[in-house]
Amino acid sequence: RKEVEQDPGPFNVPEGATVAFNCTYSNSASQSFFWYRQDCRKEPKLLMSVYSSGNEDGRFTAQLNRASQYISLLIRDSKLSDSATYLCVVSHTGRRALTFGSGTRLQVQP
Amino acid sequence: DTGVSQNPRHKITKRGQNVTFRCDPISEHNRLYWYRQTLGQGPEFLTYFQNEAQLEKSRLLSDRFSAERPKGSFSTLEIQRTEQGDSAMYLCASSKGDRNTEAFFGQGTRLTVV
């Protein structure tokens, strides 16, 4: 079983739609959580960190459920420019490296 | 440009040859990571440095792979006796601080072994 699991998609949604991605992690010692965005043939870039109380950044909302060990990302009012792969990332104090999921591909259509 | 820099951007090599990639992290970052990414997969961790010390290596890193960060600044990743299965994007990232903070990635080196 992979340490971080994501639905690969693709999620095909129309502009303006709301879309949500979930990610599950297996290591209960995980302490830090992030969502990264990766455009085709580009490097991953941080979209947002995920805090225990949940956090919002414009159209993006991230939630963490430690009891069920999952993280979610909600995108409201989708834009064409949101089309990308969204990578769920976790780390824990026993391991300094970030562990990435395989990513969820989003395609926003006009 | 003060971001993470990787060279070369592309490398095509024949099977059995050795290749070396270079990563220059953001200057004040003491942590440096190497990842490998293949199509449709997320980045897979290879190895991690804090300053010049290599603190962690993935089981994925066979004895054909070696990484160095001699002065705690730039790093090199060498692959000896390349195999077709080594074809991938090799990503370098850096971060700062003692806690898990944001990692900034370079644009990667795309390796093709023919």
Side-chain angles (χ1 to χ4, degrees), chain A residues 2 32 34 36 38 41 43-44 46 87 91-92 95-98 100-102, chain B residues 33 35 37 40-43 45 48 55-56 91 100 102-103 105-107 110:
Chain A
K2 290 186 177 181
S32 300
F34 309 90
Y36 275 69
Q38 187 170 28
R41 295 189 171 271
E43 74 274 21
L46 180 70
L87 297 161
S91 68
H92 56 82
R95 185 172 190 234
R96 297 176 180 88
L98 301 175
F100 286 77
S102 295
Chain B
Y33 311 83
Y35 284 84
Q37 187 173 27
Q41 299 297 315
F45 170 73
Y48 154 72
L55 297 184
E56 189 174 352
L91 292 162
N100 290 307
E102 177 184 0
F105 282 83
Q107 292 180 301
R110 183 170 296 281

PDB file of all heavy atoms in Angstrom, chain A residues 2 32 34 36 38 41 43-44 46 87 91-92 95-98 100-102, chain B residues 33 35 37 40-43 45 48 55-56 91 100 102-103 105-107 110:
ATOM      1  N   LYS A   2       0.545   2.212  -0.868  1.00  0.00           N
ATOM      2  CA  LYS A   2       1.314   3.442  -0.915  1.00  0.00           C
ATOM      3  C   LYS A   2       1.048   4.279   0.323  1.00  0.00           C
ATOM      4  O   LYS A   2      -0.044   4.246   0.887  1.00  0.00           O
ATOM      5  CB  LYS A   2       0.934   4.244  -2.158  1.00  0.00           C
ATOM      6  CG  LYS A   2       1.417   3.609  -3.462  1.00  0.00           C
ATOM      7  CD  LYS A   2       1.122   4.534  -4.625  1.00  0.00           C
ATOM      8  CE  LYS A   2       1.656   3.957  -5.913  1.00  0.00           C
ATOM      9  NZ  LYS A   2       1.397   4.854  -7.061  1.00  0.00           N
ATOM     10  N   SER A  32       2.932  17.109   8.785  1.00  0.00           N
ATOM     11  CA  SER A  32       2.792  18.266   7.903  1.00  0.00           C
ATOM     12  C   SER A  32       2.143  17.816   6.607  1.00  0.00           C
ATOM     13  O   SER A  32       2.424  16.721   6.110  1.00  0.00           O
ATOM     14  CB  SER A  32       4.158  18.887   7.611  1.00  0.00           C
ATOM     15  OG  SER A  32       4.782  19.311   8.798  1.00  0.00           O
ATOM     16  N   PHE A  34       0.516  19.165   2.671  1.00  0.00           N
ATOM     17  CA  PHE A  34       0.558  20.206   1.650  1.00  0.00           C
ATOM     18  C   PHE A  34      -0.206  19.742   0.417  1.00  0.00           C
ATOM     19  O   PHE A  34      -0.334  18.540   0.165  1.00  0.00           O
ATOM     20  CB  PHE A  34       2.011  20.490   1.213  1.00  0.00           C
ATOM     21  CG  PHE A  34       2.983  20.751   2.340  1.00  0.00           C
ATOM     22  CD1 PHE A  34       3.683  19.707   2.918  1.00  0.00           C
ATOM     23  CD2 PHE A  34       3.203  22.028   2.804  1.00  0.00           C
ATOM     24  CE1 PHE A  34       4.590  19.920   3.949  1.00  0.00           C
ATOM     25  CE2 PHE A  34       4.106  22.263   3.832  1.00  0.00           C
ATOM     26  CZ  PHE A  34       4.794  21.207   4.401  1.00  0.00           C
ATOM     27  N   TYR A  36       0.425  20.447  -3.613  1.00  0.00           N
ATOM     28  CA  TYR A  36       1.258  21.020  -4.655  1.00  0.00           C
ATOM     29  C   TYR A  36       0.495  20.924  -5.974  1.00  0.00           C
ATOM     30  O   TYR A  36      -0.310  20.022  -6.179  1.00  0.00           O
ATOM     31  CB  TYR A  36       2.588  20.261  -4.794  1.00  0.00           C
ATOM     32  CG  TYR A  36       3.681  20.717  -3.852  1.00  0.00           C
ATOM     33  CD1 TYR A  36       3.595  20.494  -2.488  1.00  0.00           C
ATOM     34  CD2 TYR A  36       4.810  21.367  -4.343  1.00  0.00           C
ATOM     35  CE1 TYR A  36       4.604  20.911  -1.627  1.00  0.00           C
ATOM     36  CE2 TYR A  36       5.830  21.786  -3.492  1.00  0.00           C
ATOM     37  CZ  TYR A  36       5.709  21.553  -2.138  1.00  0.00           C
ATOM     38  OH  TYR A  36       6.715  21.959  -1.296  1.00  0.00           O
ATOM     39  N   GLN A  38       1.095  20.765 -10.196  1.00  0.00           N
ATOM     40  CA  GLN A  38       2.102  20.517 -11.223  1.00  0.00           C
ATOM     41  C   GLN A  38       1.459  20.636 -12.598  1.00  0.00           C
ATOM     42  O   GLN A  38       0.541  19.888 -12.928  1.00  0.00           O
ATOM     43  CB  GLN A  38       2.750  19.139 -11.056  1.00  0.00           C
ATOM     44  CG  GLN A  38       3.918  18.896 -11.996  1.00  0.00           C
ATOM     45  CD  GLN A  38       4.699  17.640 -11.680  1.00  0.00           C
ATOM     46  OE1 GLN A  38       4.152  16.684 -11.136  1.00  0.00           O
ATOM     47  NE2 GLN A  38       5.990  17.614 -12.019  1.00  0.00           N
ATOM     48  N   ARG A  41       4.711  18.869 -17.703  1.00  0.00           N
ATOM     49  CA  ARG A  41       6.145  19.014 -17.993  1.00  0.00           C
ATOM     50  C   ARG A  41       6.803  20.161 -17.229  1.00  0.00           C
ATOM     51  O   ARG A  41       7.832  20.697 -17.660  1.00  0.00           O
ATOM     52  CB  ARG A  41       6.376  19.156 -19.498  1.00  0.00           C
ATOM     53  CG  ARG A  41       5.985  17.909 -20.262  1.00  0.00           C
ATOM     54  CD  ARG A  41       6.403  17.974 -21.711  1.00  0.00           C
ATOM     55  NE  ARG A  41       6.201  16.693 -22.369  1.00  0.00           N
ATOM     56  CZ  ARG A  41       7.107  15.722 -22.404  1.00  0.00           C
ATOM     57  NH1 ARG A  41       8.270  15.890 -21.813  1.00  0.00           N
ATOM     58  NH2 ARG A  41       6.855  14.593 -23.009  1.00  0.00           N
ATOM     59  N   GLU A  43       7.798  21.715 -13.038  1.00  0.00           N
ATOM     60  CA  GLU A  43       8.080  21.244 -11.692  1.00  0.00           C
ATOM     61  C   GLU A  43       6.884  21.475 -10.769  1.00  0.00           C
ATOM     62  O   GLU A  43       6.073  22.375 -11.001  1.00  0.00           O
ATOM     63  CB  GLU A  43       9.326  21.958 -11.135  1.00  0.00           C
ATOM     64  CG  GLU A  43       9.124  23.410 -10.737  1.00  0.00           C
ATOM     65  CD  GLU A  43       9.285  24.381 -11.898  1.00  0.00           C
ATOM     66  OE1 GLU A  43       9.174  23.978 -13.083  1.00  0.00           O
ATOM     67  OE2 GLU A  43       9.523  25.566 -11.601  1.00  0.00           O
ATOM     68  N   PRO A  44       6.765  20.681  -9.706  1.00  0.00           N
ATOM     69  CA  PRO A  44       5.698  20.928  -8.725  1.00  0.00           C
ATOM     70  C   PRO A  44       5.910  22.259  -8.011  1.00  0.00           C
ATOM     71  O   PRO A  44       7.042  22.643  -7.721  1.00  0.00           O
ATOM     72  CB  PRO A  44       5.850  19.767  -7.735  1.00  0.00           C
ATOM     73  CG  PRO A  44       6.689  18.754  -8.429  1.00  0.00           C
ATOM     74  CD  PRO A  44       7.581  19.511  -9.354  1.00  0.00           C
ATOM     75  N   LEU A  46       4.206  24.684  -4.688  1.00  0.00           N
ATOM     76  CA  LEU A  46       3.306  24.661  -3.551  1.00  0.00           C
ATOM     77  C   LEU A  46       2.040  25.448  -3.847  1.00  0.00           C
ATOM     78  O   LEU A  46       2.098  26.613  -4.259  1.00  0.00           O
ATOM     79  CB  LEU A  46       3.993  25.249  -2.317  1.00  0.00           C
ATOM     80  CG  LEU A  46       3.128  25.283  -1.059  1.00  0.00           C
ATOM     81  CD1 LEU A  46       2.899  23.871  -0.536  1.00  0.00           C
ATOM     82  CD2 LEU A  46       3.764  26.149   0.030  1.00  0.00           C
ATOM     83  N   LEU A  87      -1.031  17.419  -6.408  1.00  0.00           N
ATOM     84  CA  LEU A  87      -0.278  16.421  -5.660  1.00  0.00           C
ATOM     85  C   LEU A  87      -0.498  16.614  -4.167  1.00  0.00           C
ATOM     86  O   LEU A  87      -0.294  17.706  -3.636  1.00  0.00           O
ATOM     87  CB  LEU A  87       1.219  16.551  -5.963  1.00  0.00           C
ATOM     88  CG  LEU A  87       1.636  16.308  -7.416  1.00  0.00           C
ATOM     89  CD1 LEU A  87       3.007  16.899  -7.689  1.00  0.00           C
ATOM     90  CD2 LEU A  87       1.640  14.810  -7.712  1.00  0.00           C
ATOM     91  N   SER A  91       4.482  14.729   5.355  1.00  0.00           N
ATOM     92  CA  SER A  91       5.760  14.399   5.958  1.00  0.00           C
ATOM     93  C   SER A  91       5.529  14.149   7.438  1.00  0.00           C
ATOM     94  O   SER A  91       4.506  14.536   7.987  1.00  0.00           O
ATOM     95  CB  SER A  91       6.785  15.513   5.764  1.00  0.00           C
ATOM     96  OG  SER A  91       6.412  16.648   6.496  1.00  0.00           O
ATOM     97  N   HIS A  92       6.483  13.469   8.079  1.00  0.00           N
ATOM     98  CA  HIS A  92       6.356  13.238   9.516  1.00  0.00           C
ATOM     99  C   HIS A  92       7.694  13.439  10.174  1.00  0.00           C
ATOM    100  O   HIS A  92       8.740  13.455   9.508  1.00  0.00           O
ATOM    101  CB  HIS A  92       5.763  11.857   9.806  1.00  0.00           C
ATOM    102  CG  HIS A  92       6.519  10.721   9.187  1.00  0.00           C
ATOM    103  ND1 HIS A  92       7.644  10.170   9.746  1.00  0.00           N
ATOM    104  CD2 HIS A  92       6.296  10.011   8.057  1.00  0.00           C
ATOM    105  CE1 HIS A  92       8.066   9.178   8.986  1.00  0.00           C
ATOM    106  NE2 HIS A  92       7.272   9.063   7.962  1.00  0.00           N
ATOM    107  N   ARG A  95      10.789  11.367   9.452  1.00  0.00           N
ATOM    108  CA  ARG A  95      11.344  11.377   8.096  1.00  0.00           C
ATOM    109  C   ARG A  95      11.232  12.776   7.556  1.00  0.00           C
ATOM    110  O   ARG A  95      10.147  13.323   7.464  1.00  0.00           O
ATOM    111  CB  ARG A  95      10.575  10.401   7.219  1.00  0.00           C
ATOM    112  CG  ARG A  95      11.151  10.250   5.836  1.00  0.00           C
ATOM    113  CD  ARG A  95      10.473   9.137   5.078  1.00  0.00           C
ATOM    114  NE  ARG A  95      11.208   8.873   3.856  1.00  0.00           N
ATOM    115  CZ  ARG A  95      10.649   8.875   2.650  1.00  0.00           C
ATOM    116  NH1 ARG A  95       9.367   9.100   2.526  1.00  0.00           N
ATOM    117  NH2 ARG A  95      11.373   8.644   1.586  1.00  0.00           N
ATOM    118  N   ARG A  96      12.364  13.358   7.214  1.00  0.00           N
ATOM    119  CA  ARG A  96      12.352  14.758   6.814  1.00  0.00           C
ATOM    120  C   ARG A  96      11.864  14.969   5.391  1.00  0.00           C
ATOM    121  O   ARG A  96      11.433  16.042   5.034  1.00  0.00           O
ATOM    122  CB  ARG A  96      13.753  15.340   6.981  1.00  0.00           C
ATOM    123  CG  ARG A  96      14.227  15.337   8.430  1.00  0.00           C
ATOM    124  CD  ARG A  96      15.651  15.829   8.525  1.00  0.00           C
ATOM    125  NE  ARG A  96      16.141  15.845   9.886  1.00  0.00           N
ATOM    126  CZ  ARG A  96      16.714  14.821  10.488  1.00  0.00           C
ATOM    127  NH1 ARG A  96      16.836  13.683   9.832  1.00  0.00           N
ATOM    128  NH2 ARG A  96      17.148  14.908  11.724  1.00  0.00           N
ATOM    129  N   ALA A  97      11.959  13.937   4.572  1.00  0.00           N
ATOM    130  CA  ALA A  97      11.579  14.099   3.178  1.00  0.00           C
ATOM    131  C   ALA A  97      10.067  14.174   3.039  1.00  0.00           C
ATOM    132  O   ALA A  97       9.316  13.622   3.844  1.00  0.00           O
ATOM    133  CB  ALA A  97      12.121  12.955   2.343  1.00  0.00           C
ATOM    134  N   LEU A  98       9.623  14.871   2.010  1.00  0.00           N
ATOM    135  CA  LEU A  98       8.208  14.934   1.672  1.00  0.00           C
ATOM    136  C   LEU A  98       7.828  13.696   0.866  1.00  0.00           C
ATOM    137  O   LEU A  98       8.574  13.285  -0.012  1.00  0.00           O
ATOM    138  CB  LEU A  98       7.924  16.188   0.844  1.00  0.00           C
ATOM    139  CG  LEU A  98       8.276  17.526   1.485  1.00  0.00           C
ATOM    140  CD1 LEU A  98       8.056  18.663   0.497  1.00  0.00           C
ATOM    141  CD2 LEU A  98       7.449  17.752   2.743  1.00  0.00           C
ATOM    142  N   PHE A 100       5.073  12.184  -1.702  1.00  0.00           N
ATOM    143  CA  PHE A 100       4.060  12.639  -2.645  1.00  0.00           C
ATOM    144  C   PHE A 100       3.103  11.521  -3.025  1.00  0.00           C
ATOM    145  O   PHE A 100       3.504  10.364  -3.184  1.00  0.00           O
ATOM    146  CB  PHE A 100       4.739  13.132  -3.937  1.00  0.00           C
ATOM    147  CG  PHE A 100       5.432  14.450  -3.806  1.00  0.00           C
ATOM    148  CD1 PHE A 100       6.658  14.550  -3.177  1.00  0.00           C
ATOM    149  CD2 PHE A 100       4.861  15.605  -4.315  1.00  0.00           C
ATOM    150  CE1 PHE A 100       7.309  15.766  -3.051  1.00  0.00           C
ATOM    151  CE2 PHE A 100       5.500  16.829  -4.216  1.00  0.00           C
ATOM    152  CZ  PHE A 100       6.721  16.908  -3.577  1.00  0.00           C
ATOM    153  N   GLY A 101       1.845  11.889  -3.213  1.00  0.00           N
ATOM    154  CA  GLY A 101       0.915  10.990  -3.880  1.00  0.00           C
ATOM    155  C   GLY A 101       1.172  11.026  -5.382  1.00  0.00           C
ATOM    156  O   GLY A 101       2.003  11.802  -5.868  1.00  0.00           O
ATOM    157  N   SER A 102       0.444  10.195  -6.109  1.00  0.00           N
ATOM    158  CA  SER A 102       0.637  10.136  -7.565  1.00  0.00           C
ATOM    159  C   SER A 102      -0.044  11.283  -8.297  1.00  0.00           C
ATOM    160  O   SER A 102       0.202  11.481  -9.481  1.00  0.00           O
ATOM    161  CB  SER A 102       0.107   8.809  -8.106  1.00  0.00           C
ATOM    162  OG  SER A 102       0.867   7.735  -7.596  1.00  0.00           O
TER     163      SER A 102
ATOM    164  N   TYR B  33      17.001  18.051  -1.605  1.00  0.00           N
ATOM    165  CA  TYR B  33      16.376  16.752  -1.887  1.00  0.00           C
ATOM    166  C   TYR B  33      16.532  16.415  -3.365  1.00  0.00           C
ATOM    167  O   TYR B  33      16.482  17.303  -4.216  1.00  0.00           O
ATOM    168  CB  TYR B  33      14.864  16.799  -1.609  1.00  0.00           C
ATOM    169  CG  TYR B  33      14.455  17.370  -0.276  1.00  0.00           C
ATOM    170  CD1 TYR B  33      14.332  18.741  -0.077  1.00  0.00           C
ATOM    171  CD2 TYR B  33      14.142  16.527   0.798  1.00  0.00           C
ATOM    172  CE1 TYR B  33      13.933  19.263   1.131  1.00  0.00           C
ATOM    173  CE2 TYR B  33      13.732  17.052   2.014  1.00  0.00           C
ATOM    174  CZ  TYR B  33      13.631  18.405   2.170  1.00  0.00           C
ATOM    175  OH  TYR B  33      13.232  18.933   3.380  1.00  0.00           O
ATOM    176  N   TYR B  35      14.565  13.914  -6.166  1.00  0.00           N
ATOM    177  CA  TYR B  35      13.400  13.086  -6.437  1.00  0.00           C
ATOM    178  C   TYR B  35      13.490  12.610  -7.887  1.00  0.00           C
ATOM    179  O   TYR B  35      14.139  13.235  -8.726  1.00  0.00           O
ATOM    180  CB  TYR B  35      12.097  13.893  -6.272  1.00  0.00           C
ATOM    181  CG  TYR B  35      11.689  14.152  -4.840  1.00  0.00           C
ATOM    182  CD1 TYR B  35      12.223  15.215  -4.120  1.00  0.00           C
ATOM    183  CD2 TYR B  35      10.745  13.339  -4.211  1.00  0.00           C
ATOM    184  CE1 TYR B  35      11.841  15.461  -2.814  1.00  0.00           C
ATOM    185  CE2 TYR B  35      10.351  13.580  -2.902  1.00  0.00           C
ATOM    186  CZ  TYR B  35      10.902  14.643  -2.215  1.00  0.00           C
ATOM    187  OH  TYR B  35      10.515  14.874  -0.917  1.00  0.00           O
ATOM    188  N   GLN B  37      10.818  11.352 -11.071  1.00  0.00           N
ATOM    189  CA  GLN B  37       9.412  11.306 -11.458  1.00  0.00           C
ATOM    190  C   GLN B  37       9.264  10.701 -12.835  1.00  0.00           C
ATOM    191  O   GLN B  37       9.954  11.104 -13.787  1.00  0.00           O
ATOM    192  CB  GLN B  37       8.791  12.706 -11.441  1.00  0.00           C
ATOM    193  CG  GLN B  37       7.282  12.705 -11.677  1.00  0.00           C
ATOM    194  CD  GLN B  37       6.658  14.070 -11.496  1.00  0.00           C
ATOM    195  OE1 GLN B  37       7.298  15.093 -11.680  1.00  0.00           O
ATOM    196  NE2 GLN B  37       5.381  14.091 -11.124  1.00  0.00           N
ATOM    197  N   GLY B  40       2.914  10.058 -15.121  1.00  0.00           N
ATOM    198  CA  GLY B  40       1.723   9.609 -14.419  1.00  0.00           C
ATOM    199  C   GLY B  40       1.931   9.307 -12.947  1.00  0.00           C
ATOM    200  O   GLY B  40       0.994   8.865 -12.272  1.00  0.00           O
ATOM    201  N   GLN B  41       3.139   9.536 -12.468  1.00  0.00           N
ATOM    202  CA  GLN B  41       3.438   9.283 -11.057  1.00  0.00           C
ATOM    203  C   GLN B  41       3.861  10.570 -10.370  1.00  0.00           C
ATOM    204  O   GLN B  41       4.323  11.510 -11.015  1.00  0.00           O
ATOM    205  CB  GLN B  41       4.564   8.250 -10.927  1.00  0.00           C
ATOM    206  CG  GLN B  41       4.234   6.896 -11.541  1.00  0.00           C
ATOM    207  CD  GLN B  41       3.066   6.234 -10.848  1.00  0.00           C
ATOM    208  OE1 GLN B  41       2.976   6.209  -9.627  1.00  0.00           O
ATOM    209  NE2 GLN B  41       2.147   5.704 -11.633  1.00  0.00           N
ATOM    210  N   GLY B  42       3.705  10.592  -9.047  1.00  0.00           N
ATOM    211  CA  GLY B  42       4.237  11.713  -8.294  1.00  0.00           C
ATOM    212  C   GLY B  42       5.734  11.551  -8.107  1.00  0.00           C
ATOM    213  O   GLY B  42       6.289  10.480  -8.361  1.00  0.00           O
ATOM    214  N   PRO B  43       6.407  12.602  -7.676  1.00  0.00           N
ATOM    215  CA  PRO B  43       7.845  12.497  -7.411  1.00  0.00           C
ATOM    216  C   PRO B  43       8.147  11.446  -6.352  1.00  0.00           C
ATOM    217  O   PRO B  43       7.476  11.378  -5.321  1.00  0.00           O
ATOM    218  CB  PRO B  43       8.206  13.900  -6.911  1.00  0.00           C
ATOM    219  CG  PRO B  43       7.147  14.796  -7.473  1.00  0.00           C
ATOM    220  CD  PRO B  43       5.907  13.963  -7.475  1.00  0.00           C
ATOM    221  N   PHE B  45      10.941  10.003  -3.721  1.00  0.00           N
ATOM    222  CA  PHE B  45      12.107  10.445  -2.974  1.00  0.00           C
ATOM    223  C   PHE B  45      13.315   9.557  -3.248  1.00  0.00           C
ATOM    224  O   PHE B  45      13.213   8.332  -3.241  1.00  0.00           O
ATOM    225  CB  PHE B  45      11.777  10.426  -1.481  1.00  0.00           C
ATOM    226  CG  PHE B  45      12.962  10.645  -0.587  1.00  0.00           C
ATOM    227  CD1 PHE B  45      13.540  11.887  -0.471  1.00  0.00           C
ATOM    228  CD2 PHE B  45      13.496   9.583   0.134  1.00  0.00           C
ATOM    229  CE1 PHE B  45      14.631  12.088   0.365  1.00  0.00           C
ATOM    230  CE2 PHE B  45      14.581   9.768   0.961  1.00  0.00           C
ATOM    231  CZ  PHE B  45      15.151  11.027   1.081  1.00  0.00           C
ATOM    232  N   TYR B  48      18.340  12.855   0.584  1.00  0.00           N
ATOM    233  CA  TYR B  48      18.168  14.138   1.256  1.00  0.00           C
ATOM    234  C   TYR B  48      19.471  14.533   1.945  1.00  0.00           C
ATOM    235  O   TYR B  48      20.137  13.690   2.546  1.00  0.00           O
ATOM    236  CB  TYR B  48      17.029  14.011   2.260  1.00  0.00           C
ATOM    237  CG  TYR B  48      17.070  14.952   3.437  1.00  0.00           C
ATOM    238  CD1 TYR B  48      16.796  16.299   3.279  1.00  0.00           C
ATOM    239  CD2 TYR B  48      17.374  14.473   4.706  1.00  0.00           C
ATOM    240  CE1 TYR B  48      16.830  17.144   4.357  1.00  0.00           C
ATOM    241  CE2 TYR B  48      17.410  15.323   5.803  1.00  0.00           C
ATOM    242  CZ  TYR B  48      17.128  16.656   5.617  1.00  0.00           C
ATOM    243  OH  TYR B  48      17.166  17.510   6.695  1.00  0.00           O
ATOM    244  N   LEU B  55      21.576  12.572   4.907  1.00  0.00           N
ATOM    245  CA  LEU B  55      20.902  12.022   6.078  1.00  0.00           C
ATOM    246  C   LEU B  55      19.931  10.896   5.767  1.00  0.00           C
ATOM    247  O   LEU B  55      19.550  10.150   6.678  1.00  0.00           O
ATOM    248  CB  LEU B  55      20.174  13.138   6.836  1.00  0.00           C
ATOM    249  CG  LEU B  55      21.051  14.242   7.413  1.00  0.00           C
ATOM    250  CD1 LEU B  55      20.210  15.216   8.227  1.00  0.00           C
ATOM    251  CD2 LEU B  55      22.170  13.659   8.264  1.00  0.00           C
ATOM    252  N   GLU B  56      19.519  10.791   4.540  1.00  0.00           N
ATOM    253  CA  GLU B  56      18.539   9.757   4.225  1.00  0.00           C
ATOM    254  C   GLU B  56      18.671   9.354   2.760  1.00  0.00           C
ATOM    255  O   GLU B  56      18.898  10.200   1.898  1.00  0.00           O
ATOM    256  CB  GLU B  56      17.127  10.275   4.508  1.00  0.00           C
ATOM    257  CG  GLU B  56      16.046   9.210   4.409  1.00  0.00           C
ATOM    258  CD  GLU B  56      14.676   9.724   4.826  1.00  0.00           C
ATOM    259  OE1 GLU B  56      14.566  10.854   5.342  1.00  0.00           O
ATOM    260  OE2 GLU B  56      13.699   8.967   4.618  1.00  0.00           O
ATOM    261  N   LEU B  91      14.326  15.521 -10.280  1.00  0.00           N
ATOM    262  CA  LEU B  91      13.984  16.809  -9.697  1.00  0.00           C
ATOM    263  C   LEU B  91      14.805  17.049  -8.438  1.00  0.00           C
ATOM    264  O   LEU B  91      14.970  16.164  -7.606  1.00  0.00           O
ATOM    265  CB  LEU B  91      12.498  16.849  -9.323  1.00  0.00           C
ATOM    266  CG  LEU B  91      11.501  16.833 -10.475  1.00  0.00           C
ATOM    267  CD1 LEU B  91      10.120  16.436  -9.978  1.00  0.00           C
ATOM    268  CD2 LEU B  91      11.444  18.196 -11.146  1.00  0.00           C
ATOM    269  N   ASN B 100       9.434  20.900   8.915  1.00  0.00           N
ATOM    270  CA  ASN B 100       9.078  20.621   7.526  1.00  0.00           C
ATOM    271  C   ASN B 100       8.418  21.851   6.928  1.00  0.00           C
ATOM    272  O   ASN B 100       7.294  22.189   7.252  1.00  0.00           O
ATOM    273  CB  ASN B 100       8.132  19.425   7.471  1.00  0.00           C
ATOM    274  CG  ASN B 100       8.854  18.157   7.817  1.00  0.00           C
ATOM    275  OD1 ASN B 100       9.877  17.830   7.237  1.00  0.00           O
ATOM    276  ND2 ASN B 100       8.343  17.421   8.788  1.00  0.00           N
ATOM    277  N   GLU B 102       8.072  24.496   3.262  1.00  0.00           N
ATOM    278  CA  GLU B 102       7.877  24.384   1.831  1.00  0.00           C
ATOM    279  C   GLU B 102       9.167  24.039   1.119  1.00  0.00           C
ATOM    280  O   GLU B 102      10.217  24.616   1.390  1.00  0.00           O
ATOM    281  CB  GLU B 102       7.347  25.699   1.277  1.00  0.00           C
ATOM    282  CG  GLU B 102       7.172  25.691  -0.246  1.00  0.00           C
ATOM    283  CD  GLU B 102       6.729  27.035  -0.782  1.00  0.00           C
ATOM    284  OE1 GLU B 102       6.551  27.973   0.026  1.00  0.00           O
ATOM    285  OE2 GLU B 102       6.564  27.152  -2.004  1.00  0.00           O
ATOM    286  N   ALA B 103       9.085  23.092   0.196  1.00  0.00           N
ATOM    287  CA  ALA B 103      10.215  22.744  -0.662  1.00  0.00           C
ATOM    288  C   ALA B 103      10.000  23.383  -2.020  1.00  0.00           C
ATOM    289  O   ALA B 103       8.908  23.312  -2.582  1.00  0.00           O
ATOM    290  CB  ALA B 103      10.348  21.231  -0.798  1.00  0.00           C
ATOM    291  N   PHE B 105      11.138  23.494  -5.939  1.00  0.00           N
ATOM    292  CA  PHE B 105      11.715  22.578  -6.921  1.00  0.00           C
ATOM    293  C   PHE B 105      12.402  23.326  -8.057  1.00  0.00           C
ATOM    294  O   PHE B 105      11.971  24.418  -8.454  1.00  0.00           O
ATOM    295  CB  PHE B 105      10.620  21.688  -7.521  1.00  0.00           C
ATOM    296  CG  PHE B 105      10.209  20.568  -6.632  1.00  0.00           C
ATOM    297  CD1 PHE B 105       9.287  20.768  -5.618  1.00  0.00           C
ATOM    298  CD2 PHE B 105      10.753  19.300  -6.787  1.00  0.00           C
ATOM    299  CE1 PHE B 105       8.910  19.733  -4.781  1.00  0.00           C
ATOM    300  CE2 PHE B 105      10.385  18.255  -5.960  1.00  0.00           C
ATOM    301  CZ  PHE B 105       9.456  18.472  -4.950  1.00  0.00           C
ATOM    302  N   GLY B 106      13.436  22.701  -8.588  1.00  0.00           N
ATOM    303  CA  GLY B 106      14.014  23.124  -9.845  1.00  0.00           C
ATOM    304  C   GLY B 106      13.188  22.579 -10.997  1.00  0.00           C
ATOM    305  O   GLY B 106      12.241  21.817 -10.796  1.00  0.00           O
ATOM    306  N   GLN B 107      13.564  22.972 -12.208  1.00  0.00           N
ATOM    307  CA  GLN B 107      12.802  22.558 -13.379  1.00  0.00           C
ATOM    308  C   GLN B 107      13.116  21.129 -13.813  1.00  0.00           C
ATOM    309  O   GLN B 107      12.457  20.596 -14.689  1.00  0.00           O
ATOM    310  CB  GLN B 107      13.055  23.529 -14.528  1.00  0.00           C
ATOM    311  CG  GLN B 107      12.468  24.907 -14.255  1.00  0.00           C
ATOM    312  CD  GLN B 107      12.716  25.871 -15.389  1.00  0.00           C
ATOM    313  OE1 GLN B 107      13.860  26.144 -15.751  1.00  0.00           O
ATOM    314  NE2 GLN B 107      11.649  26.387 -15.966  1.00  0.00           N
ATOM    315  N   ARG B 110      15.643  16.016 -17.498  1.00  0.00           N
ATOM    316  CA  ARG B 110      14.969  14.873 -18.123  1.00  0.00           C
ATOM    317  C   ARG B 110      16.013  13.953 -18.737  1.00  0.00           C
ATOM    318  O   ARG B 110      16.740  14.364 -19.653  1.00  0.00           O
ATOM    319  CB  ARG B 110      13.971  15.328 -19.186  1.00  0.00           C
ATOM    320  CG  ARG B 110      13.201  14.166 -19.813  1.00  0.00           C
ATOM    321  CD  ARG B 110      12.043  14.634 -20.696  1.00  0.00           C
ATOM    322  NE  ARG B 110      11.024  15.340 -19.938  1.00  0.00           N
ATOM    323  CZ  ARG B 110      10.099  14.756 -19.203  1.00  0.00           C
ATOM    324  NH1 ARG B 110      10.071  13.447 -19.096  1.00  0.00           N
ATOM    325  NH2 ARG B 110       9.200  15.481 -18.560  1.00  0.00           N
TER     326      ARG B 110
END
